[in-house]
Amino acid sequence: MSVSVSPTTAAARLLPGKPVAEKILSEVAEQVAALRAAGVTPALATVLVGDDDASAGYIRIKQRQAAELGFASPHVHLPASASQRDLHRVLADFNADAGVHGVLVQHPIPGHLDYDRALDVLDPDKDVDGMHPVNMGRLALGLPGPLPCTPAGIEALLAYHGVPVSGREVVILGRGATLGRPLAMLLAQKRPTANAAVTVVHTGVADWPRYTRRAEILVAAAGVPGIVRPEHVRPGAVVVGGGVRYEGRRLLPDVDESCAEVAGAITPRVGGVGPTTVAMLFRNAVRAAQRAVGQG
Ligand SMILES: NC(=O)c1ccc[n+]([C@@H]2O[C@H](COP(=O)([O-])OP(=O)(O)OC[C@H]3O[C@@H](n4cnc5c(N)ncnc54)[C@H](OP(=O)(O)O)[C@@H]3O)[C@@H](O)[C@H]2O)c1
């Protein structure tokens, strides 16, 4: 079913991420099984630095999911006092290990460590977050490589729910490195599920509602709770909530719930972009294993 932009006052159709993630993960499970049948066990290594409860919880969930999908998941837990050099050594070891195909460093890492410098050490082909500068460069040039997970998940979500993107006006609120900037590059690419007219707005555009109000697809990627309100949304538009802030375990989305009264379709407050982000992590991991054995 396709979603068109038309003025509406009815409650917006929901665009959940869970079925999208399930579809991607079932494909990943099949690809993992095929690799295993060929004698290759795909391995997604995880690195946790410090004792932050939330980070430890996220790593446990990803490890459990990795095991369910058939991945091996070697894990290194460094103490909070670990040095930058300790972290680099772990990454260099995983780089050198041909049996490890993907590496995930759980962030945030303790404040005395520099995540970007660590990412630079990682082999770009093992970067399952798709955030390594080489992979950002590949994205900018349209070359194959791991894609940043949240932007790739948003493209998949729109495609799954039949939201046409090609030729349409997409406005992204936020130009951050994780979401807004790579999403703009991705959705402007010449492919049927992208191919959009993309505008990016940010704090340098004081009158950003002027742009968001004309968007056929509006993506919130600011990390400012409630910043997108109904008066910023074109009636009938598709609204994707990417930006969130956590206060403890409480999730505060960029998109105010009342936007559902104006939008034609909208991601749910919980279970929208999050599940597709995680699915893309595993898709990057299995593709890394396929490439490593000459299948990609
Ligand atoms: N759901 C998920 O799975 C998931 C995954 C990853 C990230 N995220 C979320 O995505 C959001 C963006 O992350 P990021 O790392 O890409 O971005 P970021 O580095 O946090 O940057 C935020 C962007 O929003 C803009 N912005 C902030 N306040 C604004 C305002 N009042 N008016 C206009 N623009 C404003 C900033 O503009 P300037 O550039 O001018 O400062 C910046 O470009 C975060 O909330 C993050 O938690 C969600």
Side-chain angles (χ1 to χ4, degrees):
M1 193 192 350
S2 94
V3 176
S4 60
V5 174
S6 57
T8 173
T9 49
R13 177 188 164 211
L14 282 183
L15 306 172
K18 199 162 168 241
V20 193
E22 281 170 357
K23 179 167 178 281
I24 295 163
L25 291 173
S26 81
E27 288 162 7
V28 169
E30 281 172 24
Q31 289 159 342
V32 170
L35 282 163
R36 291 182 81 111
V40 178
T41 302
L44 170 60
T46 52
V47 181
L48 175 66
V49 190
D51 301 307
D52 178 63
D53 277 348
S55 294
Y58 292 136
I59 280 280
R60 269 196 304 277
I61 291 167
K62 286 171 191 160
Q63 283 179 312
R64 199 179 319 130
Q65 209 163 359
E68 282 167 14
L69 291 166
F71 287 91
S73 54
H75 178 63
V76 170
H77 183 184
L78 290 171
S81 59
S83 66
Q84 189 81 26
R85 187 189 271 206
D86 294 331
L87 178 55
H88 288 189
R89 201 174 298 128
V90 169
L91 297 178
D93 286 347
F94 281 140
N95 285 348
D97 186 342
V100 168
H101 305 102
V103 181
L104 169 71
V105 180
Q106 182 65 44
H107 44 90
I109 57 179
H112 66 283
L113 298 175
D114 184 332
Y115 181 80
D116 290 337
R117 269 178 63 210
L119 195 58
D120 244 350
V121 171
L122 185 63
D123 178 346
D125 290 330
K126 298 190 180 189
D127 160 38
V128 290
D129 266 331
M131 295 296 299
H132 190 287
V134 166
N135 290 324
M136 285 290 177
R138 286 168 167 162
L139 171 62
L141 295 170
L143 298 173
L147 290 172
C149 297
T150 309
I154 289 175
E155 184 183 345
L157 185 137
L158 293 171
Y160 178 93
H161 287 292
V163 176
V165 176
S166 182
R168 297 177 95 199
E169 177 139 26
V170 175
V171 177
I172 303 171
L173 175 62
R175 59 179 160 191
T178 327
L179 186 44
R181 208 171 330 156
L183 181 65
M185 288 195 277
L186 196 65
L187 293 186
Q189 283 184 346
K190 199 168 183 172
R191 280 177 292 101
T193 53
N195 223 14
V198 183
T199 302
V200 182
V201 291
H202 38 73
T203 61
V205 182
D207 189 17
W208 57 260
R210 181 158 69 92
Y211 296 86
T212 60
R213 273 198 300 267
R214 68 173 201 221
E216 293 171 289
I217 300 172
L218 168 59
V219 182
V224 179
I227 188 170
V228 177
R229 301 196 41 80
E231 61 269 30
H232 304 138
V233 176
R234 171 176 168 168
V238 173
V239 177
V240 177
V244 287
R245 186 183 294 165
Y246 281 92
E247 268 181 22
R249 290 197 172 265
R250 219 169 128 233
L251 179 143
L252 304 172
D254 281 4
V255 177
D256 191 89
E257 269 174 287
S258 56
C259 290
E261 291 158 23
V262 179
I266 192 166
T267 51
R269 194 170 180 280
V270 177
V273 167
T276 59
T277 297
V278 178
M280 286 301 166
L281 182 83
F282 290 109
R283 193 175 81 172
N284 279 341
V286 76
R287 287 188 175 173
Q290 288 173 325
R291 274 196 310 275
V293 298
Q295 286 185 18

